[in-house]
Amino acid sequence: MHILTAQVENYKSFLESEKIEFTPGFNVIVGKNNSGKTALVEALSLQFDKTPHRSIVTQPIEGAQLQNSTSSINLTFEVSLSEIPDLLAKYNQENLLISIPKLNNPVPHKNLVDTILSSRTFVIRCQYQSSGNRRNWDLIAPFRSPWLPNALEFQVSKSSQKLRYKQKVTISGHNDHFAKVAAQEFQKRVYCFKAERFKVGQYKAGNRQTLEPDAQNLPEVLANLNLSNRQKFDIILKHMSEIFPEIQDIPILPINDNPVLKIHLSAQGSSNRNDLLIALQDSGTGIAQVLAILFVVVTSNIPQTIIIDEPQSFLHPGAIRKLFSILSHHYSQHQYIITTHSPTAIVSANPQNIVHLQKEEYESHAKNIDIRESTQVEKILADVGVRLSDVFGIDNVLWVEGTTEELCFPLIISQILNRPLMGTAVFGVINTGDFQSRRLKETIIKIYKRLSEGAGLLPPAVGFIFDREMKTCEEQKELVKISEGKITFTKRRMYENYLLIREAIASVASAYLESEITVEQVESWLDEHKWDKDFIDDKTISEDDKKHDYWLSNVRGDKLLDALFKSFGAGSEYDKVEHGKALTSWIIENTPDELNEIAELIESKLPPIS
């Protein structure tokens, strides 16, 4: 289950919000202070008090009674077919019941049954009001079906994840309806971690293994997990140590003879010393939140929605990067909704979806941001205030040629090398052209050597990957020697040379130009122009030496792509950053082997996985 859309009504700074869209994976909500981020999080948590919106609109006269005192949020959420068997079993139902409009014929329309049988997901709409009440629930996909006594009954196979139609039935109440059951269950699958100290350090012993939405029973469930599934407990401990290296163990001990459990933290070098244990409630503000988050993602066999409010307020930037890297790399089945005004958190989350909040006078407004549109991204960056301090908290840096590589190399690392970045960040250098001047060569190399040693507050560099351009083998060896092996060059002339996949170019060009560009068009242009002197520096190459491998290695890839895009029509210039990232994503999804060479080069510079 995960949220698809949300609309907040009459709650705090929201009178009636726009419909806000969410995706699986990471969603980031950004905005200035007091723009409504926390109010939106509270509404999304489905556990909020009645706090009606107050403004000139709802209270035009001072002291006037509010016409509407009910706060609510309208949600649509998706349920996958694979989740349904466990969902029905939890509510003691054997079969899936889907209400239908009254039909004249005693047998349901065949196309209606066929539509349901072919569905892999179902979309539920529900309104949650203050104090957690649900109302107005219905199934809206694969078709809209408000509750009626007539229903279609289906058997659900857990092993094959298939539906089988049984019969049309009459049901007597709401409780048997699938949408009702789903709405009831979804409320239990939303966890909200607010920007405040968690009071979860101690709790009475019991047998429960599911964490409450407010995480108050964390000691109980952790203790039970330690007894019933030590392997998962150790995974939580491993992740905690990755994020907070000083934590060695998490003992959960009874308080004297009372049936109350208390979580402690054991630091490095203090094993078997209970007198040196630190109570969780006396530790850093963010440790309890992270421990509760990790418990949910590690132990949940079904997708959850996890909301984290302002993580930068309780976590160091380095801890944020490591936490988000763990969540995205190991537990991507869950939906994450993050509110922040920190560029560190935004970059670390690498969100699929960004929601921008703005407050006009008394009222908050929400807008989904198309991250491909640079003007909108600039507006977000203006709100969050990007500074040099964004690098603080990084363990080390892989320096690369420029912004294109800065965006694309993390995609290659996570999706082709299949490894988390953890505390490593990828940054583009300011001007690699400085390396072309022999007079400045040693000076520039010394500057980057200082970066590699982590002078001052700057994190150390694990290495530098630059475009080969047309440097000779001797020039490359000289630079590698001066940098003491820190600098490595691409085997091809530049990163764009790895993106010269004709199918990828046709697909990306079609998407951005909103017109059909065929592979044949790309092939035709390349066949005619690929050896033009504008793109190949070696003017003496003979016709016999015009081999594809030589061309792919030495062509000026950026100029070629720019000329190719311009040939598609007016205004169709090649954007190195935007289109480069889109081409990289297409290749990773469709022909990842094409990037194996550059992936191996990147991996050679990354720190080993501990």
Side-chain angles (χ1 to χ4, degrees):
M1 292 183 180
H2 66 269
I3 298 173
L4 294 176
T5 66
Q7 188 171 21
V8 183
E9 294 183 356
N10 199 33
Y11 183 65
K12 292 190 174 180
S13 59
F14 291 95
L15 175 57
E16 183 177 356
S17 79
E18 297 76 5
K19 183 177 288 187
I20 308 168
E21 297 179 354
F22 293 93
T23 65
F26 273 84
N27 300 262
V28 170
I29 301 170
V30 299
K32 295 180 179 179
N33 289 338
N34 200 38
S35 61
K37 297 192 299 294
T38 299
L40 179 55
V41 159
E42 291 170 348
L44 289 170
S45 74
L46 309 183
Q47 302 289 338
F48 54 96
D49 295 326
K50 182 170 61 176
T51 312
H53 175 78
R54 294 178 181 272
S55 67
I56 297 297
V57 176
T58 62
Q59 213 168 13
I61 302 174
E62 185 176 355
Q65 187 174 358
L66 294 172
Q67 294 182 349
N68 181 11
S69 61
T70 300
S71 302
S72 63
I73 181 171
N74 296 302
L75 287 184
T76 61
F77 58 91
E78 187 175 77
V79 183
S80 67
L81 179 58
S82 60
E83 296 177 86
I84 292 178
D86 289 333
L87 178 62
L88 295 177
K90 186 173 183 179
Y91 289 86
N92 297 316
Q93 295 187 26
E94 296 181 357
N95 296 322
L96 177 67
L97 298 177
I98 298 179
S99 291
I100 58 173
K102 290 184 178 180
L103 300 172
N104 294 326
N105 297 327
V107 179
H109 296 300
K110 183 179 184 301
N111 60 347
L112 188 61
V113 174
D114 290 343
T115 299
I116 297 172
L117 290 174
S118 62
S119 298
R120 305 299 300 175
T121 59
F122 299 84
V123 177
I124 311 296
R125 178 173 59 191
C126 188
Q127 183 185 79
Y128 293 85
Q129 295 186 342
S130 49
S131 302
N133 296 319
R134 299 174 304 277
R135 58 179 297 178
N136 299 334
W137 44 264
D138 61 355
L139 180 71
I140 60 174
F143 60 92
R144 182 176 178 181
S145 175
W147 180 86
L148 287 169
N150 293 320
L152 303 177
E153 184 177 13
F154 295 83
Q155 279 188 333
V156 189
S157 170
K158 186 173 183 178
S159 57
S160 65
Q161 295 183 8
K162 290 183 178 180
L163 297 175
R164 184 175 72 85
Y165 174 63
K166 286 190 65 179
Q167 60 185 338
K168 176 185 173 183
V169 296
T170 299
I171 53 180
S172 57
H174 289 72
N175 291 332
D176 292 333
H177 190 280
F178 167 58
K180 172 74 171 183
V181 169
Q184 184 176 349
E185 175 65 14
F186 183 72
Q187 192 169 10
K188 301 176 182 178
R189 296 200 192 178
V190 179
Y191 287 87
C192 184
F193 300 93
K194 297 181 180 179
E196 58 189 34
R197 180 177 287 276
F198 258 23
K199 298 178 181 179
V200 297
Q202 61 185 51
Y203 196 79
K204 61 184 179 181
N207 298 320
R208 289 184 298 174
Q209 298 186 8
T210 301
L211 188 67
E212 291 293 320
D214 59 3
Q216 63 176 338
N217 65 327
L218 183 61
E220 175 192 17
V221 295
L222 268 178
N224 291 333
L225 182 67
N226 189 21
L227 294 174
S228 64
N229 194 330
R230 180 67 199 193
Q231 182 179 6
K232 285 191 175 181
F233 186 92
D234 286 342
I235 292 173
I236 294 174
L237 178 59
K238 175 177 178 291
H239 291 328
M240 286 292 290
S241 297
E242 290 170 342
I243 300 168
F244 308 107
E246 67 278 9
I247 295 178
Q248 184 181 32
D249 198 3
I250 309 172
I252 302 103
L253 305 174
I255 300 178
N256 299 325
D257 296 327
N258 298 324
V260 176
L261 300 172
K262 190 173 184 178
I263 301 176
H264 298 80
L265 303 175
S266 173
Q268 294 286 348
S270 63
S271 58
N272 301 320
R273 286 286 304 273
N274 286 355
D275 60 315
L276 297 180
L277 296 178
I278 301 172
L280 178 63
Q281 59 200 34
D282 296 329
S283 64
T285 309
I287 293 179
Q289 277 97 328
V290 172
L291 183 56
I293 291 169
L294 290 175
F295 179 88
V296 173
V297 299
V298 171
T299 61
S300 296
N301 297 321
I302 52 180
Q304 312 282 349
T305 294
I306 298 168
I307 303 170
I308 308 175
D309 186 21
E310 304 287 6
Q312 76 282 348
S313 68
F314 58 83
L315 283 179
H316 183 270
I320 291 176
R321 288 189 177 91
K322 291 177 181 178
L323 172 63
F324 286 3
S325 180
I326 288 169
L327 297 180
S328 62
H329 189 72
H330 297 289
Y331 308 102
S332 58
Q333 72 272 28
H334 302 297
Q335 181 181 46
Y336 302 96
I337 299 176
I338 317 294
T339 72
T340 186
H341 53 75
S342 163
T344 298
I346 296 172
V347 173
S348 301
N350 189 23
Q352 291 89 346
N353 178 47
I354 295 178
V355 179
H356 188 209
L357 295 183
Q358 287 182 301
K359 195 172 185 180
E360 299 176 5
E361 296 183 347
Y362 294 95
E363 190 175 349
S364 294
H365 296 277
K367 183 178 182 181
N368 282 93
I369 297 297
D370 184 348
I371 59 177
R372 297 180 304 177
E373 296 185 17
S374 59
T375 55
Q376 292 186 339
V377 174
E378 288 171 1
K379 193 173 184 180
I380 295 171
L381 294 180
D383 276 355
V384 300
V386 177
R387 297 182 301 274
L388 179 62
S389 59
D390 297 340
V391 302
F392 297 166
I394 299 171
D395 291 340
N396 43 60
V397 177
L398 173 63
W399 293 94
V400 295
E401 181 78 9
T403 307
T404 304
E405 291 81 359
E406 182 177 320
L407 295 175
C408 296
F409 281 18
L411 298 177
I412 294 173
I413 292 168
S414 63
Q415 299 181 47
I416 292 183
L417 295 177
N418 194 33
R419 59 173 287 176
L421 275 167
M422 297 302 290
T424 301
V426 180
F427 287 121
V429 300
I430 296 173
N431 186 6
T432 52
D434 291 338
F435 288 91
Q436 304 305 316
S437 169
R438 289 186 176 275
R439 186 172 59 85
L440 294 177
K441 187 185 300 178
E442 287 201 34
T443 302
I444 299 299
I445 287 291
K446 287 178 181 178
I447 292 173
Y448 283 101
K449 184 179 178 183
R450 289 185 65 190
L451 290 177
S452 73
E453 294 170 349
L457 292 174
L458 291 174
V462 291
F464 304 84
I465 298 178
F466 295 150
D467 289 345
R468 169 174 62 82
E469 287 292 348
M470 294 304 289
K471 296 180 183 68
T472 64
C473 290
E474 288 70 27
E475 289 174 327
Q476 293 179 55
K477 288 178 180 178
E478 182 183 6
L479 289 168
V480 171
K481 181 179 179 180
I482 295 173
S483 68
E484 298 180 351
K486 289 286 186 180
I487 289 179
T488 302
F489 295 95
T490 58
K491 293 183 180 180
R492 298 183 190 179
R493 180 168 181 166
M494 59 184 60
Y495 177 67
E496 281 76 10
N497 288 38
Y498 294 92
L499 307 180
L500 300 178
I501 309 299
R502 302 178 183 200
E503 294 81 359
I505 295 170
S507 176
V508 170
S510 297
Y512 279 88
L513 303 181
E514 297 182 352
S515 62
E516 181 65 20
I517 306 297
T518 66
V519 177
E520 289 72 21
Q521 286 177 273
V522 176
E523 287 179 340
S524 176
W525 189 93
L526 287 175
D527 290 341
E528 183 177 354
H529 298 287
K530 63 189 294 186
W531 294 102
D532 286 0
K533 61 182 180 180
D534 291 336
F535 314 129
I536 290 287
D537 293 324
D538 191 350
K539 310 297 190 300
T540 62
I541 185 171
S542 66
E543 289 295 322
D544 292 337
D545 291 331
K546 288 184 177 181
K547 307 295 184 182
H548 178 73
D549 288 345
Y550 177 90
W551 173 82
L552 195 59
S553 180
N554 295 287
V555 68
R556 184 66 189 265
D558 56 350
K559 281 191 174 182
L560 180 109
L561 285 168
D562 186 51
L564 177 54
F565 268 62
K566 286 178 179 177
S567 73
F568 296 140
S572 53
E573 295 184 355
Y574 178 76
D575 186 308
K576 285 189 66 172
V577 177
E578 186 173 1
H579 297 152
K581 184 179 180 182
L583 286 170
T584 301
S585 297
W586 190 97
I587 295 170
I588 289 174
E589 184 175 352
N590 296 277
T591 56
D593 289 347
E594 298 286 352
L595 295 175
N596 280 348
E597 182 180 282
I598 190 70
E600 291 173 2
L601 179 61
I602 296 170
E603 188 169 36
S604 71
K605 288 298 178 184
L606 294 176
I609 300 176
S610 58

